[in-house]
Amino acid sequence: MYRILAGQGETDNLLPGEHDHPLPLATQRSVVSTTRVQLHTSAVCLAQRKKVKESKSAVRDERKRVKDAARLYAVLGIPRGGQDKWPQCDLAKAVITQDGLHSEDAPESLTFPEGAVNVPSTLNYGISGDSKRMLFEVLPVLSAERGRVHFNADTVQETEEAMKHEVEKANMFAKLVSLRNANAKGIAYENRRRCIELFSTPETANDTGRPEVQAAILTLKIRNLWEHLLKFRMDIDNRRALRRMVHQRAKVLRYLKRKDLDRYEAILPRLGLEPGSVEGELVV
């Protein structure tokens, strides 16, 4: 059996017949390596680097958020350190957002003897009022009774079966024209229609030349473009378009101020704007 010689005095303690040959070099290395076990794997190093990177990213995002919150939003009409009045204004309550579409109210139920038609609360392409009543209340009944002049037992049964089929078709059509299926252009069209309807007067309905209507449409476009630029800060072309729309809105509101001061002071809170966002020099 081999033994490691720890010192010169250990050779005297060997029994007769035992050899004082040292262990081979490879065996000595294995013994020494097992005495000091320290795991240094690449997975641990990668986890530490990832943790440091995530912490730096969180600090950078927090600094960006604080910087954005402390800016003078000439775009949004918020003074430095002020409160955003957008959630409480009339325009914000009238327009439709993606989150609002998915959290909309329960659909309206139109009950017939043969079934019920579930009409969504928001329909696409301005379907409302008389057109909504015509599509989901009158049209199914007329389609079921089409071509039937004399009514007897057979025709009544056929009419009931046809009415059940028309109710199914009306439910499928209601899902098709729901605003949830619309793209960005469809939602923008509906929001523009709502802006025109909200800021027009009863005497001049759908008056797109009214300064209040133009300011409302521009404010909605500015809000949407601002949210886009917060995600894509290097989009230079849209940033230039944002500047043009901000100055165009300021020009419209200054014209309204010269024409009628009362209308100017009444429209600012309805749009969630402050006077500082349209008066004086605007730097965006």
Side-chain angles (χ1 to χ4, degrees):
M1 180 179 293
Y2 293 98
R3 293 185 180 179
I4 301 177
L5 300 180
Q8 186 66 28
E10 293 184 0
T11 57
D12 300 332
N13 298 328
L14 295 176
L15 297 176
E18 291 185 348
H19 300 283
D20 52 355
H21 299 291
L23 290 172
L25 183 60
T27 307
Q28 294 181 22
R29 288 178 179 176
S30 64
V31 172
V32 172
S33 64
T34 55
T35 57
R36 295 182 301 173
V37 179
Q38 292 183 1
L39 297 178
H40 294 282
T41 61
S42 59
V44 176
C45 296
L46 290 176
Q48 293 177 352
R49 292 177 183 176
K50 184 178 180 181
K51 186 176 181 181
V52 172
K53 186 181 295 185
E54 290 177 352
S55 63
K56 290 183 179 180
S57 177
V59 172
R60 185 167 57 251
D61 293 342
E62 181 64 20
R63 288 178 180 174
K64 186 185 298 183
R65 187 189 65 80
V66 173
K67 183 179 179 181
D68 291 338
R71 288 183 58 186
L72 175 61
Y73 286 155
V75 176
L76 306 181
I78 306 173
R80 185 179 298 275
Q83 184 181 3
D84 190 5
K85 297 181 179 180
W86 172 256
Q88 291 79 26
C89 70
D90 295 341
L91 182 59
K93 296 177 182 178
V95 299
I96 299 174
T97 59
Q98 290 289 347
D99 297 336
L101 283 177
H102 293 285
S103 61
E104 63 181 0
D105 299 333
E108 179 184 357
S109 181
L110 301 177
T111 306
F112 296 95
E114 292 78 13
V117 178
N118 297 320
V119 183
S121 59
T122 53
L123 297 174
N124 206 346
Y125 301 114
I127 301 176
S128 61
D130 295 337
S131 59
K132 178 180 178 180
R133 187 182 65 84
M134 182 66 68
L135 288 173
F136 297 104
E137 294 183 18
V138 179
L139 187 60
V141 178
L142 294 178
S143 300
E145 296 178 354
R146 182 181 53 184
R148 293 176 176 84
V149 180
H150 303 286
F151 289 91
N152 51 34
D154 295 334
T155 57
V156 169
Q157 185 177 0
E158 292 177 0
T159 304
E160 290 178 355
E161 293 178 357
M163 189 62 191
K164 290 180 182 179
H165 183 60
E166 292 298 329
V167 168
E168 294 178 359
K169 289 169 59 177
N171 281 317
M172 290 188 291
F173 182 71
K175 294 179 181 179
L176 181 64
V177 297
S178 176
L179 201 61
R180 289 186 177 185
N181 298 325
N183 55 8
K185 290 185 178 180
I187 297 176
Y189 174 84
E190 178 63 21
N191 285 332
R192 184 176 184 274
R193 186 192 66 83
R194 293 191 175 197
C195 288
I196 296 173
E197 182 181 0
L198 180 63
F199 291 94
S200 297
T201 59
E203 295 79 12
T204 57
N206 300 325
D207 186 6
T208 56
R210 187 176 172 84
E212 290 88 341
V213 174
Q214 295 182 7
I217 294 175
L218 286 171
T219 300
L220 184 59
K221 290 181 179 180
I222 288 168
R223 282 273 175 175
N224 294 333
L225 193 55
W226 176 262
E227 293 178 359
H228 168 78
L229 290 175
L230 287 180
K231 298 178 182 178
F232 306 97
R233 293 175 178 268
M234 300 305 294
D235 193 348
I236 305 300
D237 292 337
N238 279 326
R239 190 173 296 276
R240 190 179 298 112
L242 178 68
R243 294 192 185 100
R244 287 198 301 266
M245 285 191 291
V246 169
H247 287 280
Q248 185 179 358
R249 182 183 63 183
K251 183 178 179 180
V252 170
L253 290 175
R254 283 197 294 267
Y255 163 77
L256 181 62
K257 184 179 180 180
R258 292 194 306 269
K259 184 178 180 181
D260 193 337
L261 183 60
D262 294 334
R263 288 171 56 185
Y264 168 77
E265 294 178 349
I267 193 60
L268 290 182
R270 297 187 66 190
L271 299 178
L273 299 177
E274 291 287 340
S277 62
V278 293
E279 296 176 359
E281 182 179 1
L282 295 178
V283 180
V284 182

